[in-house]
Amino acid sequence: MRASEGGRHISGAETIVPVERLYTTAGEFLRRALSHPRGQADEVYLTVERLKGAPLYLKTLPVCTVNIRNTHEAWHFIEQILSNLGISEEAFKRAKEVIRGGGMRGAALITLSSGRRMERDTRRGVRATRMGIIPEAEERLHQLLISAGMHPTVVKEALILATKVSSCPYVVAELCVSDDPDYTTGYIASRRLGYLRIPFIKEGGVPEGGRVFFVEEDPDIEGIYRYLEGTPVMIEDLGDFMGEVSPGDVLRSTG
Ligand code: WAQ
Ligand code: MG
């Protein structure tokens, strides 16, 4: 689903569901498009297609929440952790520009050392699509998120997306800030570190957000698009949920 108002991106969502859940899912996506905190859509596109080929089955990244108290601490932590993952200052600066600018429907691809933008269309970005979760794992995830006090839909969808993206060859890390003005927790995800939730990644009331996928220096762009946009991925199992961790502990584990 993608929804816009006067050409401005409002909301997007994707999933893979069994045929009998199509009606419910389409209704939920439509409701989301029409009651989004970013504004009311005046155009909504729903695309439905049968899966071509068998999906890849993955387990979600392990999840933890970094104990952060304000936006300043959040960005200080992000800068350090990205640097430990081999991401240059240049690439970090470019990523901040993308996220502060907002307005993209997809993610930016930024090379980790020279900090170059690699998307075919830098206004749209690359969109991770064709990913879902099998009903049994979804039920368990839902219970886990509710008892951890996390937003069940937002975190479920972000974790599924981050798990697919982190499994893409050439992607080293992802940085995400919601474009929902009231959702102020973001994350960094990578194969090495898992899914690190970062509270206070932005101030409340800010409608800008975005995603950056940091990629190796000479990436196979065709291959990245084919995998992220084309290859179906289903979550079939859940990684650990580890609660809160201190920024220092995470940094020491990567430093
Ligand atoms: N593929 C690539 N980029 C996307 C996609 C996608 N499927 N969906 C959204 N984006 C980009 C786009 O630029 C959006 O503006 C930006 O990401 C933010 O999207 O554990 O809700 O859907 O509590 O607003 C993080 C949850 C939630 C953290 C992130 O993102 C937590 C969120 P949103
Ligand atoms: Mg959003």
XYZ file of all heavy atoms in Angstrom, residues 176-248:
570
model
N 17.329 3.872 11.179
C 15.929 4.205 10.890
C 15.357 5.186 11.902
O 15.486 5.011 13.112
C 15.096 2.926 10.906
S 13.316 3.234 10.895
N 14.701 6.201 11.376
C 13.924 7.152 12.181
C 12.527 7.210 11.576
O 12.377 7.488 10.385
C 14.559 8.562 12.164
C 13.700 9.547 12.948
C 15.979 8.524 12.707
N 11.513 6.957 12.367
C 10.132 6.986 11.881
C 9.773 8.370 11.339
O 10.289 9.378 11.792
C 9.185 6.631 13.030
O 7.843 6.834 12.633
N 8.847 8.382 10.381
C 8.365 9.685 9.897
C 7.039 10.053 10.557
O 6.401 11.031 10.206
C 8.255 9.694 8.365
C 7.356 8.590 7.843
O 6.514 8.073 8.608
O 7.473 8.255 6.650
N 6.626 9.249 11.519
C 5.445 9.568 12.310
C 5.875 10.608 13.366
O 6.796 10.362 14.140
C 4.962 8.258 12.964
C 3.774 8.456 13.883
O 3.603 9.576 14.426
O 3.038 7.495 14.078
N 5.239 11.784 13.381
C 5.708 12.855 14.275
C 5.709 12.464 15.758
O 6.458 13.042 16.543
C 4.732 14.007 14.008
C 3.649 13.483 13.141
C 4.125 12.212 12.518
N 4.898 11.488 16.135
C 4.823 11.149 17.553
C 5.608 9.898 17.937
O 5.598 9.492 19.088
C 3.357 10.961 17.978
C 2.533 12.180 17.625
O 3.011 13.302 17.900
O 1.444 12.020 17.033
N 6.268 9.274 16.956
C 6.999 8.043 17.277
C 8.484 8.346 17.341
O 9.141 8.504 16.318
C 6.692 6.942 16.247
C 7.017 5.582 16.811
C 6.054 4.845 17.491
C 8.305 5.065 16.722
C 6.369 3.616 18.064
C 8.628 3.842 17.285
C 7.649 3.125 17.947
O 7.959 1.915 18.520
N 9.027 8.417 18.552
C 10.377 8.961 18.712
C 11.453 7.897 18.972
O 12.594 8.238 19.255
C 10.394 9.991 19.865
O 9.921 9.343 21.046
C 9.505 11.191 19.548
N 11.080 6.615 18.878
C 12.092 5.563 19.013
C 12.518 5.096 17.626
O 11.667 4.798 16.781
C 11.546 4.363 19.813
O 11.138 4.819 21.108
C 12.591 3.277 19.986
N 13.816 5.044 17.386
C 14.333 4.540 16.110
C 15.195 3.320 16.353
O 15.134 2.718 17.437
N 15.984 2.937 15.380
C 16.872 1.789 15.602
C 18.063 1.790 14.656
O 18.057 2.449 13.617
C 16.111 0.462 15.470
C 15.607 0.134 14.071
C 16.429 -0.486 13.135
C 14.302 0.435 13.685
C 15.962 -0.799 11.858
C 13.831 0.128 12.418
C 14.674 -0.490 11.510
O 14.209 -0.785 10.251
N 19.079 1.027 15.074
C 20.175 0.624 14.196
C 20.082 -0.887 14.121
O 19.878 -1.543 15.147
C 21.546 1.003 14.797
C 21.726 2.517 14.800
C 22.679 0.348 14.010
C 23.042 2.952 15.429
N 20.228 -1.437 12.922
C 20.200 -2.900 12.807
C 21.364 -3.359 11.956
O 21.771 -2.681 11.010
C 18.886 -3.362 12.189
N 21.915 -4.517 12.320
C 22.964 -5.131 11.508
C 23.071 -6.601 11.888
O 22.652 -6.996 12.972
C 24.307 -4.434 11.736
O 24.855 -4.819 12.979
N 23.631 -7.375 10.967
C 23.845 -8.803 11.265
C 24.667 -8.949 12.529
O 24.439 -9.822 13.343
C 24.602 -9.481 10.113
C 23.754 -9.818 8.922
C 24.551 -10.604 7.882
N 25.603 -9.803 7.258
C 25.410 -8.930 6.270
N 24.210 -8.731 5.792
N 26.421 -8.256 5.752
N 25.680 -8.071 12.692
C 26.601 -8.207 13.816
C 25.965 -7.846 15.145
O 26.233 -8.469 16.166
C 27.789 -7.275 13.576
C 29.109 -8.007 13.581
C 30.217 -7.035 13.258
N 30.870 -6.561 14.464
C 31.730 -5.530 14.463
N 31.984 -4.868 13.354
N 32.304 -5.164 15.583
N 25.110 -6.815 15.169
C 24.612 -6.281 16.440
C 23.156 -6.600 16.721
O 22.671 -6.374 17.824
C 24.738 -4.763 16.429
C 26.146 -4.219 16.466
C 26.119 -2.723 16.270
C 26.776 -4.582 17.801
N 22.440 -7.064 15.711
C 21.013 -7.273 15.902
C 20.252 -5.966 15.754
O 20.725 -5.021 15.104
N 19.092 -5.931 16.397
C 18.180 -4.783 16.277
C 18.278 -3.983 17.567
O 17.827 -4.432 18.626
C 16.781 -5.350 16.049
C 15.642 -4.372 15.887
C 15.257 -3.940 14.622
C 14.900 -3.944 16.981
C 14.161 -3.080 14.460
C 13.813 -3.092 16.835
C 13.452 -2.665 15.566
O 12.366 -1.831 15.408
N 18.914 -2.814 17.492
C 19.140 -1.971 18.671
C 18.149 -0.828 18.670
O 18.249 0.100 17.865
C 20.540 -1.356 18.636
C 21.748 -2.268 18.649
C 23.015 -1.430 18.509
C 21.785 -3.051 19.965
N 17.201 -0.881 19.586
C 16.195 0.187 19.651
C 16.803 1.420 20.322
O 17.495 1.308 21.331
C 14.967 -0.282 20.431
C 14.378 -1.573 19.871
C 13.141 -2.020 20.627
N 12.047 -1.091 20.472
C 11.457 -0.436 21.448
N 11.847 -0.593 22.700
N 10.454 0.391 21.207
N 16.536 2.591 19.760
C 17.121 3.827 20.277
C 16.029 4.842 20.600
O 15.503 5.506 19.711
C 18.122 4.405 19.258
C 19.161 3.332 18.925
C 18.772 5.677 19.800
C 20.191 3.753 17.925
N 15.673 4.928 21.898
C 14.664 5.911 22.311
C 15.183 7.335 22.082
O 16.390 7.560 22.016
C 14.491 5.646 23.807
C 15.096 4.316 24.062
C 16.155 4.116 23.030
N 14.280 8.292 21.969
C 14.614 9.725 21.822
C 15.490 10.003 20.612
O 16.324 10.892 20.633
C 15.281 10.271 23.101
C 14.468 10.044 24.341
C 14.870 9.119 25.299
C 13.281 10.734 24.534
C 14.106 8.890 26.435
C 12.518 10.520 25.672
C 12.927 9.590 26.625
N 15.306 9.226 19.538
C 16.111 9.458 18.336
C 15.683 10.769 17.675
O 16.441 11.377 16.940
C 16.030 8.250 17.383
C 17.228 8.211 16.428
C 14.713 8.238 16.615
C 17.420 6.876 15.743
N 14.450 11.197 17.950
C 14.069 12.538 17.515
C 13.129 13.161 18.546
O 12.573 12.462 19.389
C 13.427 12.505 16.122
C 12.047 11.881 16.050
C 11.478 12.087 14.645
C 10.093 11.509 14.514
N 9.573 11.669 13.152
N 12.984 14.471 18.431
C 12.069 15.186 19.311
C 10.644 14.911 18.844
O 10.404 14.733 17.648
C 12.310 16.702 19.229
C 13.769 17.138 19.336
C 14.262 17.207 20.787
O 13.439 17.008 21.710
O 15.472 17.456 20.980
N 9.688 14.917 19.766
C 8.292 14.738 19.376
C 7.817 15.886 18.479
O 8.346 16.991 18.555
N 6.846 15.587 17.600
C 6.278 16.625 16.752
C 7.014 16.857 15.447
O 6.609 17.684 14.641
N 8.108 16.116 15.225
C 8.894 16.286 13.999
C 8.428 15.278 12.941
O 8.498 14.075 13.167
C 10.402 16.058 14.282
C 11.225 16.133 13.008
C 10.900 17.050 15.323
N 7.927 15.746 11.793
C 7.404 14.814 10.794
C 8.480 14.203 9.884
O 8.181 13.309 9.112
C 6.444 15.682 9.956
C 6.996 17.057 10.064
C 7.691 17.151 11.403
N 9.736 14.668 9.997
C 10.771 14.106 9.130
C 11.310 12.806 9.723
O 11.460 12.682 10.940
C 11.941 15.083 8.940
C 11.677 16.180 7.919
C 10.821 17.314 8.484
O 10.898 17.540 9.713
O 10.070 17.933 7.699
N 11.605 11.873 8.834
C 12.233 10.625 9.242
C 12.844 10.017 8.001
O 12.818 10.630 6.933
N 13.370 8.817 8.132
C 13.921 8.178 6.942
C 14.708 6.938 7.305
O 14.855 6.604 8.495
N 15.161 6.264 6.263
C 15.986 5.077 6.462
C 17.229 5.171 5.597
O 17.163 5.653 4.462
C 15.229 3.806 6.074
C 14.299 3.281 7.154
C 13.749 1.921 6.753
N 13.205 1.190 7.869
C 11.942 1.289 8.306
N 11.098 2.103 7.720
N 11.543 0.562 9.337
N 18.329 4.672 6.162
C 19.562 4.583 5.389
C 20.082 3.162 5.499
O 20.165 2.606 6.600
C 20.623 5.572 5.936
C 21.962 5.336 5.249
C 20.165 7.008 5.737
N 20.394 2.566 4.334
C 21.067 1.272 4.319
C 22.513 1.552 3.933
O 22.785 2.000 2.810
C 20.427 0.325 3.292
C 18.935 0.086 3.479
C 18.154 -0.337 2.410
C 18.315 0.256 4.716
C 16.785 -0.562 2.559
C 16.938 0.029 4.878
C 16.182 -0.375 3.798
N 23.426 1.329 4.867
C 24.851 1.520 4.567
C 25.354 0.273 3.842
O 25.130 -0.847 4.311
C 25.644 1.732 5.853
C 25.305 3.014 6.568
C 24.414 3.003 7.633
C 25.850 4.224 6.161
C 24.077 4.181 8.299
C 25.524 5.415 6.813
C 24.634 5.394 7.891
N 25.996 0.484 2.708
C 26.442 -0.647 1.891
C 27.945 -0.605 1.681
O 28.572 0.454 1.816
C 25.725 -0.669 0.518
C 24.237 -0.933 0.699
C 25.942 0.634 -0.251
N 28.508 -1.753 1.333
C 29.933 -1.823 1.055
C 30.293 -0.925 -0.117
O 29.431 -0.495 -0.866
C 30.342 -3.277 0.798
C 30.491 -4.015 2.115
C 30.516 -5.517 1.942
O 30.939 -5.963 0.854
O 30.117 -6.218 2.878
N 31.574 -0.676 -0.273
C 32.023 0.399 -1.154
C 31.680 0.190 -2.639
O 31.312 1.138 -3.307
C 33.530 0.605 -0.945
C 34.044 1.975 -1.275
C 33.183 3.122 -0.710
O 32.744 3.062 0.456
O 32.940 4.054 -1.469
N 31.814 -1.035 -3.156
C 31.443 -1.229 -4.566
C 30.313 -2.238 -4.686
O 30.502 -3.360 -5.132
C 32.670 -1.667 -5.390
C 33.618 -0.495 -5.585
O 33.186 0.537 -6.123
O 34.778 -0.608 -5.136
N 29.135 -1.821 -4.305
C 28.025 -2.768 -4.188
C 27.439 -3.145 -5.539
O 27.542 -2.385 -6.500
C 27.000 -1.976 -3.376
C 27.246 -0.557 -3.740
C 28.714 -0.442 -3.984
N 26.832 -4.317 -5.589
C 26.084 -4.759 -6.759
C 24.668 -4.174 -6.618
O 23.799 -4.764 -5.984
C 26.060 -6.294 -6.772
C 25.088 -6.856 -7.792
O 24.580 -6.093 -8.646
O 24.832 -8.075 -7.715
N 24.466 -2.984 -7.196
C 23.202 -2.268 -6.997
C 22.012 -3.059 -7.550
O 20.972 -3.170 -6.898
C 23.282 -0.856 -7.632
C 24.324 -0.019 -6.886
C 21.940 -0.148 -7.606
C 23.993 0.233 -5.428
N 22.202 -3.632 -8.749
C 21.142 -4.462 -9.341
C 20.731 -5.564 -8.372
O 19.559 -5.822 -8.146
C 21.637 -5.143 -10.625
C 21.805 -4.206 -11.799
C 20.489 -3.542 -12.168
O 19.490 -4.276 -12.311
O 20.469 -2.301 -12.266
N 21.744 -6.238 -7.813
C 21.506 -7.362 -6.900
C 20.789 -6.905 -5.635
O 19.893 -7.581 -5.133
N 21.163 -5.741 -5.134
C 20.522 -5.214 -3.917
C 19.042 -4.934 -4.195
O 18.166 -5.318 -3.416
C 21.244 -3.943 -3.418
C 22.636 -4.315 -2.906
C 20.423 -3.237 -2.338
C 23.471 -3.130 -2.459
N 18.750 -4.278 -5.311
C 17.345 -4.002 -5.667
C 16.571 -5.301 -5.847
O 15.436 -5.431 -5.382
C 17.255 -3.157 -6.943
C 17.284 -1.666 -6.678
C 18.497 -1.004 -6.512
C 16.114 -0.934 -6.582
C 18.537 0.371 -6.267
C 16.136 0.438 -6.347
C 17.348 1.087 -6.183
O 17.375 2.437 -5.928
N 17.206 -6.244 -6.548
C 16.513 -7.505 -6.815
C 16.159 -8.184 -5.486
O 15.052 -8.675 -5.302
C 17.408 -8.429 -7.655
C 16.667 -9.112 -8.782
C 17.583 -10.013 -9.621
N 18.755 -9.348 -10.148
C 20.033 -9.698 -9.889
N 20.313 -10.719 -9.097
N 21.038 -9.031 -10.418
N 17.113 -8.199 -4.556
C 16.864 -8.876 -3.283
C 15.846 -8.115 -2.432
O 14.849 -8.673 -1.977
C 18.169 -9.043 -2.499
C 17.970 -9.834 -1.223
C 17.784 -11.212 -1.268
C 17.917 -9.204 0.023
C 17.570 -11.944 -0.103
C 17.701 -9.921 1.182
C 17.530 -11.291 1.111
O 17.301 -12.011 2.262
N 16.083 -6.819 -2.236
C 15.226 -6.066 -1.302
C 13.808 -5.890 -1.831
O 12.836 -5.981 -1.090
C 15.838 -4.705 -0.989
C 17.128 -4.728 -0.183
C 17.625 -3.312 0.047
C 16.941 -5.443 1.162
N 13.692 -5.620 -3.141
C 12.359 -5.363 -3.680
C 11.696 -6.632 -4.201
O 10.469 -6.711 -4.231
C 12.437 -4.289 -4.788
C 12.948 -2.960 -4.249
C 12.721 -1.746 -5.169
O 12.531 -1.928 -6.377
O 12.758 -0.616 -4.641
N 12.492 -7.613 -4.586
C 11.916 -8.765 -5.281
C 11.850 -10.083 -4.523
O 10.854 -10.787 -4.608
N 12.887 -10.423 -3.779
C 12.932 -11.760 -3.171
C 11.967 -11.864 -1.988
O 12.091 -11.112 -1.021
C 14.361 -12.090 -2.685
O 15.242 -11.947 -3.786
C 14.447 -13.505 -2.119
N 11.012 -12.783 -2.039
C 10.107 -12.917 -0.894
C 10.804 -13.529 0.329
O 11.553 -14.505 0.210
C 8.998 -13.850 -1.406
C 9.503 -14.469 -2.651
C 10.650 -13.669 -3.156
N 10.564 -12.941 1.478
C 11.159 -13.407 2.731
C 10.041 -13.573 3.754
O 9.197 -12.688 3.909
C 12.209 -12.389 3.242
C 12.523 -12.616 4.702
C 13.484 -12.454 2.418
N 10.038 -14.696 4.423
C 9.077 -14.922 5.504
C 9.840 -15.140 6.807
O 10.811 -15.879 6.854
C 8.246 -16.195 5.251
C 7.206 -16.066 4.162
S 5.957 -14.802 4.509
C 4.849 -15.684 5.586
N 9.367 -14.500 7.866
C 9.903 -14.762 9.197
C 9.215 -16.016 9.722
O 7.991 -16.109 9.723
C 9.610 -13.577 10.145
C 10.264 -12.295 9.626
C 10.037 -13.909 11.566
C 11.765 -12.327 9.502
N 10.035 -16.988 10.157
C 9.428 -18.221 10.662
C 9.772 -18.456 12.123
O 9.233 -19.349 12.749
C 9.869 -19.423 9.826
C 11.358 -19.685 9.903
C 11.755 -21.039 9.363
O 10.865 -21.861 9.083
O 12.977 -21.269 9.221
N 10.708 -17.649 12.668
C 11.117 -17.873 14.050
C 11.602 -16.552 14.651
O 11.931 -15.629 13.909
C 12.244 -18.913 14.081
C 12.443 -19.488 15.474
O 11.627 -19.187 16.384
O 13.427 -20.227 15.669
N 11.638 -16.484 15.983
C 12.007 -15.236 16.651
C 13.358 -15.361 17.332
O 13.629 -16.350 18.018
C 10.955 -14.867 17.707
C 9.509 -14.813 17.229
C 8.593 -14.395 18.388
C 9.346 -13.850 16.048
N 14.191 -14.329 17.170
C 15.441 -14.249 17.918
C 15.148 -13.799 19.341
O 14.000 -13.556 19.704
N 16.208 -13.645 20.148
C 16.036 -13.269 21.555
C 15.507 -11.845 21.730
O 15.790 -10.975 20.922
C 17.391 -13.336 22.275
C 17.847 -14.765 22.439
O 16.991 -15.676 22.379
O 19.070 -14.968 22.610
N 14.795 -11.644 22.819
C 14.432 -10.307 23.289
C 15.206 -10.080 24.572
O 14.992 -10.782 25.543
C 12.923 -10.217 23.544
C 12.171 -9.741 22.337
C 12.060 -10.550 21.224
C 11.602 -8.477 22.300
C 11.391 -10.116 20.083
C 10.932 -8.028 21.171
C 10.823 -8.848 20.068
N 16.105 -9.083 24.564
C 17.048 -8.982 25.666
C 16.819 -7.817 26.611
O 17.642 -7.559 27.477
C 18.461 -8.967 25.104
C 18.776 -10.311 24.451
S 20.330 -10.345 23.583
C 20.134 -9.004 22.454
N 15.749 -7.079 26.455
C 15.478 -5.974 27.378
C 16.438 -4.810 27.190
O 16.952 -4.589 26.099
N 16.714 -4.096 28.301
C 17.541 -2.889 28.188
C 19.023 -3.194 28.307
O 19.428 -4.044 29.085
C 17.151 -1.899 29.306
C 15.829 -1.223 29.057
C 15.792 0.212 29.593
O 16.796 0.671 30.193
O 14.750 0.857 29.396
N 19.820 -2.458 27.548
C 21.278 -2.545 27.663
C 21.830 -1.119 27.740
O 21.206 -0.189 27.248
C 21.917 -3.265 26.453
C 21.500 -4.718 26.397
C 21.559 -2.559 25.155
N 23.001 -0.977 28.338
C 23.572 0.375 28.418
C 24.361 0.659 27.148
O 24.927 -0.252 26.550
C 24.474 0.504 29.648
O 25.725 -0.080 29.370
N 24.410 1.934 26.722
C 25.164 2.274 25.515
C 26.617 1.813 25.620
O 27.181 1.286 24.651
C 25.085 3.802 25.444
C 24.066 4.238 26.430
C 23.776 3.097 27.339
N 27.199 1.967 26.797
C 28.597 1.576 27.005
C 28.814 0.095 26.733
O 29.790 -0.297 26.093
